[in-house]
Amino acid sequence: MQSQAEVKIGDQEVKHAQQSEFVSFTVAGQAFCLKITQIREIRRWSPVTILPHAPVDVLGVMNLRGAVIPIYDLSARFGLQQTEASERNVVIVVAVDGKPVGLLAESVSEIISINPEEIQDTPQVDSRHTMEYIQGIISHDDTMVRIINLDAVISVPEQGLS
Amino acid sequence: MSGSIQDTFFEECEELLEAMDEGLTAVEGGDHDPEVVNAIFRAVHSIKGGAGAFGLDELVAFAHKFETVFDEVRANRLQLDPKLIQLLLRSSDHLSDLVSVARDGGSTDEEHNAVLIAGLEEYIGEEEEDLTFEPMGLGGPSVPLPIEEESEKTYEIRFHPLKEMFGTGNEPFFLFQALSELGPLKVVLDESELPGFDSMAMDESYLAWNMTLTTKEPKSSVEAVFEFVEGLCELEISSDTDGEDEAAALAALNAAFGSPGDSTEPETPVPFDAPAPAEVAPVVSSEPTEKVEAAKPESNKSEQRGPKPTLRVDLERVDRLINAVGELIINHSMLAQQIANLDVADLRDVETELEGFKNLARDIQEGVMSIRAQPVKPLFQRMARIVREASSATQKSAKLVTEGENTEVDKTVIERLSDPLTHILRNAVDHGVEKPEAREEAGKNRIGTIRLSASHRSGSVCIEIRDDGAGVNRPRVKQIAIEKGLIPENAELTDSEIDNLLFLPGFSTAKEVSNLSGRGVGMDVVKNAVSALGGRINISSTPGKGSTFTIILPLTLAVMDGMVVSVADQTMVVPITSIIETMRGSDEMINSLGADGTLLSIRGNFVPICDVAGALGLRKPDGDQPPGVYLLVETETGQRSALAVDDIHDQRQVVIKSLDGVCGNIPGVAAATILGDGKIAMILDPESIIAASPTSATFDTERRMSNAIAS
């Protein structure tokens, strides 16, 4: 940590160009993040329309300015407990292949700027889902922030639905 | 530049080929009206003209022969007997092939080409000895025209173009050029009408020409030169020798062309292109497109059979418009709801205005939707060819009868229907219709009839393909399915289940691989194509009588009238077109049948009840609390069901938002819509809800089918 901080100060200009920004948020008490460029907008949770016969991690659909977008419960998708959605929760709208998709998260924390080299590979764990959904991890303020692999999160379970 | 002009030419060709097909179909059906023949002639002629401008020699050569035969027919020198009609039909197919080859590259079937040309020449040849045909449009470059020797005549021609002629891009010079091809020509300008410089109007036509032409050609050839400016100029042609017979011929020619306006054909200058000197060529080649647009409205005034004036618009623009209008309607509902929520005493004025707004929005919307909707006619016309080809390849005789050609369907649907329809029709000819001998034995007409019809039915488009062939050979179908391991050997299937085996992947009944079918691509491809359009396909068959394929397609992108209901605390919309009747039920109306079946008694009739919430998996079907409101619906097979919902709220127009790409196919849900409060509501598909309902026998069938497939 210490050495990294020193590099940051000493090499401010170069750093700035290389840094990527992530938006971190919590899902079922764990910290996750997405690249800021992947996020279209963040909305307060409002009740969605239930899709019949939908899997547990698909909450339903929401009206986003005239477009019908599906809302996924990230927590359920990661195999954690289902989120009891409330007014305090947020929907992170991301675009996958140009199509907007909403992801339910507990709350949004902050924007993290880090060096791409600081991203660590996901350590090998048993859960196959974890490996698929998590692209890498960042150490930030002594906590572990998981970088979500958006394509895997959105596309894999969708096949199960159809 | 030439690329885009060429594109326009090919687009024109599409329309012209369509017009030609339409005409030929009418002729085939016994309509020998000269106007029909004329329409075909003009279409072929226009294709030839355009092709000439682009140097598509093969196309020109063939079109010329084709056109010449029509010219003979037009002049009543040839009788339209069935043999000739068949030849003409085959030729028209070939012509459209040639156009495709010219556009997309590839090669044509030389042999086929030669056979057809020989066939056509036979008809031309017969008449050649004693009669002349007029070389309309001066002919293609590569085709020598047999012209009867005639003594020279001198024509006095006075030509005074109207200002409209210049508006269509015609150029007198090219007319003179064409005339001079006929013989020595003397042109004198008559500028006597030219006013003083001050009073000259810029766009007025003051000039006239007096010409003296000496030629061996008949007067009609001279007339032909001015064919394309007819109605756009004052024209007098007098000959030193001709008498009343020529005048009669002129009258006949005029009659043949209907009225003056319709001879302003799009490709106007093209026939003169070939002989034109090099320096004018570039100008000419750039003209066809301009003329196309300019001449069209002209030709319409008097031309009912011709194509209507059209506007080519990028499809994307239309789609944007449709989306925007959809938003407008949603916006209106939201506004209406907001206003209703306001705490204002007198809302009457606002409500009146809002009603006006709603009507306007509806008008705009219908208008926009109709831009995308197109009649299925061109598609059906193409199908006639498929049947023709399929029957000649299988040595069977079959004819296609089409109905409901003017049914309008979304353009995308039409485009994507072409392949499945082709497949079904080929199958109908190959597998359905029997050999002529077999048909005779069965006491049927030697010629098989395949009926292709389109109609709107309860908010969907219904396409039906009915043949009067042998029907599905059920024992054989079942045996094959068993052989291929598609169903277990001891499977007990009903007739309709056996028929539907045809749609299973990897199923193909053809014993030998014929030219047409049996390439391993089965009806499952058809089914997939129809499903991709959000439609359904069904087959029903009677042994010895024939089979019927029914394709039900949604009217995509449409707005529909829906009934807003609530089901398990969710707001949903049921298409109003599928609802026959709504009613509030009471306990004594409900009758149990078996373990979990319930029937609703309506005026002495019993219909099965289908609990929507249960079918959608939103509530456990406990059966103890029947919801209070029933929607009586009828499925495409005529089966009635009562959909049980909690309550009915409203009846309103909703914009269909496709769930494609949002989530997969949800049984029971057709699409979604956005309600006035901004919430999304599911639009239910009664058909599939009933199918998914445990009380339904259909579900049973499907389950058994899928079990059978799985095992």
Side-chain angles (χ1 to χ4, degrees), chain B residues 330-345:
Chain B
I330 292 168
N331 195 258
H332 164 264
S333 318
M334 290 188 180
L335 201 58
Q337 199 140 343
Q338 295 289 336
I339 289 173
N341 290 346
L342 286 180
D343 192 18
V344 179

Side-chain angles (χ1 to χ4, degrees), chain B residues 99-321:
Chain B
V99 170
S100 312
V101 166
R103 178 182 48 208
D104 309 325
S107 59
T108 37
D109 186 348
E110 292 287 338
E111 203 180 319
H112 188 55
N113 191 30
V115 167
L116 284 175
I117 287 190
L120 291 171
E121 265 170 355
E122 212 172 284
Y123 281 94
I124 305 168
E126 274 173 24
E127 310 298 330
E128 220 170 47
E129 291 128 31
D130 52 340
L131 284 162
T132 317
F133 73 91
E134 56 196 63
M136 299 302 295
L138 307 181
S142 60
V143 186
L145 305 177
I147 293 164
E148 196 189 348
E149 284 296 315
E150 225 180 309
S151 60
E152 291 206 343
K153 287 183 198 165
T154 309
Y155 297 97
E156 292 293 332
I157 304 166
R158 184 179 157 77
F159 173 62
H160 174 57
L162 300 175
K163 62 177 179 182
E164 285 83 4
M165 195 194 93
F166 296 105
T168 59
N170 278 294
E171 171 60 65
F173 173 70
F174 296 129
L175 297 173
F176 303 154
Q177 191 113 45
L179 279 178
S180 67
E181 298 287 322
L182 300 175
L185 178 73
K186 195 167 141 255
V187 185
V188 179
L189 175 67
D190 175 7
E191 81 285 271
S192 55
E193 282 180 50
L194 205 62
F197 194 75
D198 295 339
S199 54
M200 200 189 297
M202 202 175 73
D203 56 352
E204 193 48 77
S205 165
Y206 299 106
L207 298 178
W209 286 271
N210 292 317
M211 288 166 275
T212 316
L213 174 69
T214 312
T215 178
K216 290 175 187 170
E217 301 282 331
K219 191 174 176 181
S220 53
S221 302
V222 182
E223 294 275 350
V225 170
F226 293 98
E227 187 184 343
F228 305 113
V229 291
E230 225 175 305
L232 300 173
C233 65
E234 287 165 14
L235 183 67
E236 290 163 33
I237 302 177
S238 58
S239 125
D240 52 354
T241 55
D242 71 354
E244 278 155 21
D245 55 341
E246 284 284 358
L250 174 60
L253 184 78
N254 279 336
F257 271 89
S259 43
D262 62 10
S263 49
T264 52
E265 280 179 81
E267 84 303 0
T268 307
V270 169
F272 315 125
D273 183 29
E279 71 265 25
V280 296
V283 184
V284 176
S285 66
S286 72
E287 275 183 62
T289 33
E290 295 163 22
K291 224 131 293 175
V292 164
E293 307 307 336
K296 259 192 172 169
E298 293 277 341
S299 57
N300 253 288
K301 285 171 197 155
S302 53
E303 174 69 271
Q304 282 109 21
R305 287 177 202 269
K308 289 185 191 156
T310 52
L311 182 66
R312 293 205 176 87
V313 183
D314 192 353
L315 206 54
E316 209 173 290
R317 288 198 205 178
V318 178
D319 284 347
R320 272 211 300 274
L321 199 56

